[in-house]
Amino acid sequence: MSAPAEVRPGRIHVIVSTDTDLLALRSAIESLPDGFPAVTAATTWAPDPIGDLHDARCVLVRLLGGRRAWPEGFDRLRAECARHGVALLAFAGEAVPDAELTAASTAPSATVTAAFAYLVHGGPANLENLLRFVADTVCFDGWGFEAPSPIAEHGVWRQPDPAGTGPVVGIVFYRAHLVVGNTQFVDDLCAAVSAAGGRPLALWCYTLRDRAARPIVELLARQGARALITTVLAAGGAAAAAGTTGARGGLDGEGWDVSELAELDIPVVQAPSAGRSSEEWAASDAGLGPYDVTSGVAIPELDGRIIAPAFAFSEVVDDGDQLGTSVRAYRSIPDRAARVAGLAVRLAALQAKPPAERRIAIVLSAYPTKRSRLGNAVGLDTPASALVILDALSAAGYRVAARPKDGDTLMAALADGLTYDADDLTDGQLAVAVGSMAAGDYAGWFAALPDAAREELESVWGPPSGRHRVHDDQLVFSGIELANVVIAIQPPRGYGDDPVAVYHSPSLPPAHHYLAFYRWLDEVWGADAIVHLGKHGTL
């Protein structure tokens, strides 16, 4: 379509509070006709999202969390729009209109409400028509526009392979990512699940809160999902996601409701994303930022979700030539996507395994590692707790052989077999060790680690298998085996004159023997699950 006659120059400026809106906007403007007013954009966290509005004709602002999410900025935006005679349309970041923002707009409320419908449905096509609608009804240009086109609130992005034999693993992501085309990280996760032996079933949804989760739960149940990976926030309640307390679904637990997801009775793995680039994340001692930790780790734990490693990061995919600001999208890191997928597939397989065949490791700390500190945990009777766990496992059908009669007997057996308190062991101590790994086997596994990890560890502890806890070319481990349950002592994290300082060092890599212990538990003894019992473990 050609440009209408006598179009007044001036741009449409858009301010948003999420990267996904920017991504959709970038796609939308590529379809606008020649001569259409320039469109610029900024995020609320940019150094100067408002800028100089003397050449603007209209400003659209969308705020996740309403005016309270950007109070000073919004007040300044209103003042600048009034000063330059620029029309202002303010919208909620959610699917429900915000009366305060509508009232604060300078366009008629009916116009703001009609424009908001495009945002609720979302997607580049709807955003293109939103810009056309605003150009025609607010700026009076005459480009023409179409009505909003609905996109379902939930649906299937990828069906599981019907010919496959692995467990079906559900993957749930936000509808917002679908409508802006930010789905590469979902495809990567699907590929990782397939590589791990599972069959991915990817679904999008607007939310998992309350009854809104019902359609997703039904889809997962019909497909026989045995595990679920979620990249969305907590399902317990709206108040929880807002970080409030004392209200329905609040952080005090009152009214928290995850009954919809709980009906599936399958493991639910939360796969966090980072609101920063992978480079920034890797360079930070803290890793995830405060918001990412709260929304992607802490609050989902209240749903009972299993927290996986962060696997997707906000990367710049457009340097800002079109919108005047850079555009970001989620991109995954292959080994971290593989870790998330592997965790989910193993949990799915474990569900299908009869309890009598499951192998469980209970790991006690020793802080620092000596007989008098075995099972140390402030306020916890570790020996009695271990026996309670053994009894519960036995009652549930797990194979537990001849458990110690009481806590003292258990601790005596562990102390008698402790192989971590001396560099040289007697034949008797070696005979009662719970297991060992040949130094050559460990060296072969160690050689497969990334170069940076190997170099860091070798700079402190020397080449594999190190100088500590190696006996007759074997790395020996402490504990007792009770059929399909092993109670083991966690090895020292390191060695030195101040063992407490070694335990708490944020930068010291673990020793060879420590790494070998967990590799033995997983790949040699074959633990399906590891229970760390006590406060002072170092893993």
Side-chain angles (χ1 to χ4, degrees), residues 465-488:
S465 298
R467 298 178 291 105
H468 303 279
R469 310 298 184 260
V470 180
H471 310 278
D472 297 332
D473 213 27
Q474 297 280 325
L475 295 106
V476 181
F477 311 118
S478 293
I480 58 174
E481 188 174 34
L482 306 172
N484 281 357
V485 178
V486 65
I487 301 179

Side-chain angles (χ1 to χ4, degrees), residues 24-376:
L25 191 62
R26 183 190 69 160
S27 298
I29 65 174
E30 292 175 350
S31 301
L32 291 172
D34 293 340
F36 194 87
V39 179
T40 56
T43 58
T44 54
W45 62 86
D48 184 13
I50 300 171
D52 186 351
L53 299 180
H54 80 277
D55 62 339
R57 299 170 67 193
C58 181
V59 173
L60 312 181
V61 59
R62 190 179 193 194
L63 299 176
L64 184 64
R67 178 189 171 280
R68 66 184 179 277
W70 195 47
E72 295 180 3
F74 185 74
D75 290 345
R76 189 166 71 86
L77 174 63
R78 283 199 75 203
E80 286 297 299
C81 286
R83 186 163 74 91
H84 292 284
V86 176
L88 172 65
L89 287 78
F91 310 104
E94 297 80 10
V96 179
D98 187 311
E100 181 183 17
L101 292 177
T102 300
S105 302
T106 60
S109 60
T111 301
V112 176
T113 300
F116 182 58
Y118 291 98
L119 293 172
V120 171
H121 293 301
N126 281 319
L127 281 185
E128 178 195 347
N129 279 294
L130 167 65
L131 295 170
R132 287 172 170 269
F133 171 84
V134 169
D136 285 8
T137 60
V138 179
C139 304
F140 308 111
D141 284 351
W143 293 96
F145 57 88
E146 296 178 2
S149 176
I151 298 175
E153 289 197 355
H154 64 271
V156 178
W157 176 248
R158 175 169 174 173
Q159 291 277 9
D161 180 5
T165 58
V168 174
V169 176
I171 299 170
V172 177
F173 64 100
Y174 272 128
R175 173 183 174 275
H177 294 301
L178 170 74
V179 298
V180 301
N182 186 24
T183 55
Q184 182 174 321
F185 74 105
V186 179
D187 292 335
D188 292 345
L189 196 51
C190 288
V193 167
S194 296
R199 291 185 291 150
L201 165 63
L203 311 168
W204 80 79
C205 68
Y206 188 79
T207 179
L208 283 177
R209 296 179 197 156
D210 307 317
R211 294 291 297 177
R214 169 54 49 186
I216 297 298
V217 169
E218 291 175 349
L219 282 168
L220 291 165
R222 283 200 300 270
Q223 296 279 10
R226 302 305 300 262
L228 173 62
I229 301 172
T230 59
T231 64
V232 301
L233 303 187
T244 58
T245 58
R248 183 203 169 282
L251 298 185
D252 61 0
E254 184 69 25
W256 198 275
D257 182 12
V258 291
S259 56
E260 297 289 345
L261 280 182
E263 281 187 20
L264 288 169
D265 194 27
I266 60 175
V268 181
V269 177
Q270 174 74 11
S273 302
R276 59 176 69 178
S277 70
S278 56
E279 183 178 356
E280 292 170 315
W281 170 84
S284 167
D285 289 338
L288 296 178
Y291 176 79
D292 293 330
V293 170
T294 301
S295 63
V297 178
I299 293 180
E301 281 189 326
L302 298 178
D303 284 352
R305 303 189 200 184
I306 300 161
I307 308 302
F311 82 105
F313 301 85
S314 179
E315 309 287 0
V316 174
V317 295
D318 187 309
D319 60 10
D321 288 344
Q322 291 178 299
L323 292 175
T325 185
S326 60
V327 178
R328 308 179 75 92
Y330 281 139
R331 295 292 184 261
S332 68
I333 295 180
D335 68 315
R336 302 189 72 78
R339 175 74 179 119
V340 174
L343 179 62
V345 170
R346 287 189 69 171
L347 286 167
L350 181 57
Q351 255 219 333
K353 198 172 191 178
E357 298 178 14
R358 298 175 186 169
R359 291 171 70 79
I360 308 298
I362 300 173
V363 178
L364 277 57
S365 66
Y367 171 76
T369 308
K370 53 185 178 181
R371 278 176 168 75
S372 63
R373 307 292 287 180
L374 293 183
N376 175 47

